[in-house]
């Protein structure tokens, strides 16, 4: 079983739509969670960290459900520039230790059309 | 501030030939990673360095892959001999050594643009 599972999509939505992605992780002891964004033929870049209490950054909201071992990303009012692949990332090591190995999901592809 | 620098950006070789990739991390980042990314997949860790020490190389196919980071700064990843299945993007990334050392605790990895390898 993979450490991180994601629906690869693709998700095709019109501008202004709200879209949500989920991913599940297998290690219940995982401590840190992130969403990375990867544009076509570019490198991944951190979009946002995911905190236990949930966190919001503008149009983006990340949620963590430890009981069910899943992470979600909600994008409101989608823009054309949101078109990218969104990678779910899990770090199974404890906070306060080294960053360690990050496990990446395969990514969910989003296309926002005009 | 310069980001993670990788070279070459693109490499085309015939199978059984050797190939090497170079990476220079962000200044001050002690941790360096080599990831492999196949088309339609997420990055998969090959090796992680803390300074010059390889602390996680369990996913590195040691029969044909090798890596070094002799002075704890830049790093080289080598494949010899290359196989058709090695065609992929090889990503280098760097980060602060300790998650807790970053005031915002972002746990951010900074990636280079990658080296795209095609094996014919």
């Amino acid at each position: 079983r993979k450490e991180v599972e994601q629906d690869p999509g693709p998700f095709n939505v019109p501008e202004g739509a709200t879209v949500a992605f989920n991913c599940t992780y297998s290690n219940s002891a995982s401590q840190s969670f992130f969403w990375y964004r990867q544009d076509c033929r570019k490198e991944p870049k951190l979009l946002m960290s995911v905190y236990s209490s949930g966190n919001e950054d503008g149009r983006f909201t990340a949620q963590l459900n430890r009981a069910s071992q899943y992470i979600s990303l909600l994008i409101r009012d989608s823009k054309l520039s949101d078109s990218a692949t969104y990678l779910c990332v899990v770090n199974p090591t404890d906070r306060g230790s080294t960053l360690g190995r990050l496990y990446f999901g395969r990514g969910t592809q989003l296309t926002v059309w005009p | 501030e310069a980001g993670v620098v990788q070279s070459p950006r693109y490499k085309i070789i015939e199978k059984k030939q050797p190939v090497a990739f170079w990476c220079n991390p962000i200044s001050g980042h002690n941790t360096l990673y080599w990831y492999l990314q196949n088309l339609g997949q997420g990055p998969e860790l090959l090796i992680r360095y803390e300074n010059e020490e390889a602390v996680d190389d369990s996913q590195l196919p040691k029969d044909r892959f090798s890596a070094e980071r002799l002075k704890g700064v830049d790093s080289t990843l080598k494949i010899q001999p290359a196989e058709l299945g090695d065609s992929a993007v090889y990503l280098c990334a760097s980060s602060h050594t300790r998650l807790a050392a970053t005031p915002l605790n972002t746990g951010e990895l900074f990636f280079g643009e990658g080296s795209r390898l095609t094996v014919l």
Side-chain angles (χ1 to χ4, degrees):
Chain A
R1 183 181 174 188
K2 288 192 173 183
E3 293 282 343
V4 182
E5 299 272 8
Q6 275 187 270
D7 177 355
F11 285 67
N12 298 305
V13 302
E15 267 187 299
T18 295
V19 62
F21 311 132
N22 291 328
C23 90
T24 58
Y25 59 94
S26 60
N27 186 342
S28 60
S30 295
Q31 297 294 323
S32 306
F33 310 89
F34 312 92
W35 283 100
Y36 275 67
R37 171 193 169 129
Q38 186 170 26
D39 292 306
C40 187
R41 301 180 75 86
K42 297 288 188 180
E43 71 274 23
K45 292 183 179 180
L46 179 67
L47 177 66
M48 59 195 303
S49 300
V50 185
Y51 302 122
S52 297
S53 56
N55 48 301
E56 188 174 307
D57 183 2
R59 298 181 293 107
F60 298 83
T61 300
Q63 296 279 355
L64 168 64
N65 184 320
R66 287 191 182 273
S68 301
Q69 293 180 215
Y70 81 78
I71 308 147
S72 65
L73 177 68
L74 181 77
I75 305 175
R76 292 181 300 277
D77 189 22
S78 298
K79 310 291 184 189
L80 297 177
S81 57
D82 293 335
S83 297
T85 296
Y86 291 83
L87 299 162
C88 176
V89 184
V90 174
N91 176 14
T93 58
D94 293 337
R95 280 188 181 279
S97 70
T98 60
L99 183 55
R101 176 189 298 204
L102 297 187
Y103 289 96
F104 286 76
R106 65 180 297 180
T108 299
Q109 185 179 342
L110 170 67
T111 300
V112 181
W113 47 272
Chain B
E1 179 183 342
V4 176
V5 178
Q6 288 189 247
S7 67
R9 288 292 312 280
Y10 304 93
K11 189 73 175 179
I12 301 174
I13 61 172
E14 293 187 344
K15 63 181 180 182
K16 301 185 182 180
Q17 293 300 306
V19 64
F21 306 114
W22 177 80
C23 172
N24 196 31
I26 291 174
S27 177
H29 283 188
N30 293 334
T31 307
L32 183 146
Y33 311 75
W34 283 102
Y35 280 88
L36 176 153
Q37 187 172 26
N38 287 301
L39 188 64
Q41 301 296 320
E44 298 174 31
L45 183 69
L46 290 172
I47 190 168
R48 174 169 64 95
Y49 282 94
E50 297 287 350
N51 298 304
E52 66 277 5
E53 181 183 1
V55 296
D56 186 352
D57 64 354
S58 58
Q59 302 301 309
L60 189 72
K62 298 181 182 63
D63 57 335
R64 297 184 300 106
F65 286 66
S66 65
E68 60 183 18
R69 194 186 184 198
L70 295 177
K71 296 183 178 179
V73 181
D74 60 335
S75 175
T76 302
L77 176 71
K78 297 179 181 178
I79 309 174
Q80 182 171 9
E83 297 179 353
L84 295 177
D86 296 332
S87 296
V89 177
Y90 292 83
L91 292 163
C92 180
S94 69
S95 71
H96 290 289
T97 297
R98 290 195 166 269
L99 187 65
T102 307
L104 295 179
N105 219 7
T106 64
E108 183 172 5
L109 257 60
F110 295 84
F111 284 89
E113 292 181 297
S115 294
R116 185 176 297 273
L117 174 65
T118 300
V119 182
L120 303 176

